[in-house]
């Protein structure tokens, strides 16, 4: 049985770190070819309000979306996945993390929890986190520390 790219990436959780956008784009195309819908977010200017407005718009949340983390979790869990899965790409995440660390981590927790729920239904929710900081450090998310993609696994591959 042939393993798919997305399943290989999810071995260590649904959140994968990226530094180089060319590698992120290459992996995104591979995932898209496996039936994923891709939704991109630029987090450079995000605060809590902008985060909620952008995710509500791009993820087509209902008009009653409450613009809080409980509502984010509820609406994310109700997403309709038509094909294999959804890939959420967050670029410049280091900016969001620096300005709003607790919120930025909680968003990833919610994505991880919902990822497991979708897997039970035979669907996938993945998240690629791109950072221009090659030393970005995230705590365990859902009990698993987000890891760098295979091509940037070693510090030297990220310019360290």
């Amino acid at each position: 049985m042939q393993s798919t790219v997305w399943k290989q990436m999810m071995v260590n959780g649904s959140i994968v770190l990226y530094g180089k956008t060319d590698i992120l784009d290459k992996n995104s195309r591979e995932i898209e070819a496996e039936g994923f819908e891709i939704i991109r977010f630029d987090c450079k200017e995000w605060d809590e309000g902008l985060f909620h407005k952008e995710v509500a718009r791009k993820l087509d949340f209902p008009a009653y979306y409450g613009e809080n983390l409980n509502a984010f979790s509820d609406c994310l869990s109700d997403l309709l996945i038509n094909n294999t899965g959804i890939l959420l790409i967050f670029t410049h995440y280091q900016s969001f993390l620096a300005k709003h660390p607790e919120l930025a981590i909680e968003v990833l927790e919610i994505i991880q929890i919902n990822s497991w729920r979708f897997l039970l239904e035979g669907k996938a929710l993945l998240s690629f986190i791109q950072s221009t900081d090659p030393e970005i450090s995230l705590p365990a998310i859902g009990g698993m520390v987000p890891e760098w993609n295979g091509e940037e696994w070693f510090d030297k591959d990220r310019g360290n």
Side-chain angles (χ1 to χ4, degrees):
M1 184 160 108
Q2 184 175 356
S3 183
T4 60
V5 172
W6 72 267
K7 287 180 181 178
Q8 292 168 0
M9 294 188 134
M10 285 191 77
V11 167
N12 296 309
S14 67
I15 298 164
V16 182
L17 296 174
Y18 285 84
K20 298 175 181 170
T21 56
D22 58 328
I23 296 171
L24 177 125
D25 291 342
K26 179 182 69 112
N27 286 173
S28 299
R29 287 190 300 273
E30 292 171 343
I31 297 281
E32 186 174 35
E34 293 182 0
F36 275 71
E37 176 185 358
I38 297 177
I39 303 168
R40 294 179 176 267
F41 302 93
D42 186 343
C43 310
K44 189 180 258 183
E45 303 299 324
W46 272 7
D47 59 16
E48 186 168 3
L50 191 53
F51 159 76
H52 286 294
K53 286 182 184 359
E54 192 168 345
V55 298
R57 181 176 55 82
K58 288 192 173 184
L59 297 176
D60 199 25
F61 285 172
Y64 60 80
Y65 174 61
E67 295 192 7
N68 61 62
L69 291 177
N70 288 332
F72 174 64
S73 183
D74 289 344
C75 289
L76 191 64
S77 70
D78 289 338
L79 282 180
L80 180 61
I81 298 180
N82 294 316
N83 294 314
T84 306
I86 294 176
L87 170 61
L88 304 176
I89 299 176
F90 298 94
T91 60
H92 301 106
Y93 208 76
Q94 78 287 344
S95 297
F96 186 43
L97 185 63
K99 290 184 266 185
H100 305 282
E102 290 178 15
L103 175 62
I105 297 302
E106 187 61 30
V107 165
L108 297 180
E109 287 279 352
I110 291 167
I111 291 169
Q112 179 66 44
I113 289 166
N114 280 284
S115 176
W116 289 327
R117 289 180 183 157
F118 280 116
L119 283 174
L120 294 173
E121 298 169 7
K123 300 293 182 177
L125 175 65
L126 267 168
S127 182
F128 288 176
I129 305 299
Q130 186 274 332
S131 171
T132 58
D133 177 1
E135 296 181 17
I136 190 172
S137 178
L138 296 173
I141 305 292
M144 304 179 93
V145 176
E147 295 185 1
W148 287 92
N149 68 84
E151 294 180 62
E152 295 180 285
W153 178 263
F154 295 107
D155 289 346
K156 67 179 179 62
D157 296 330
R158 296 189 305 271
N160 286 354

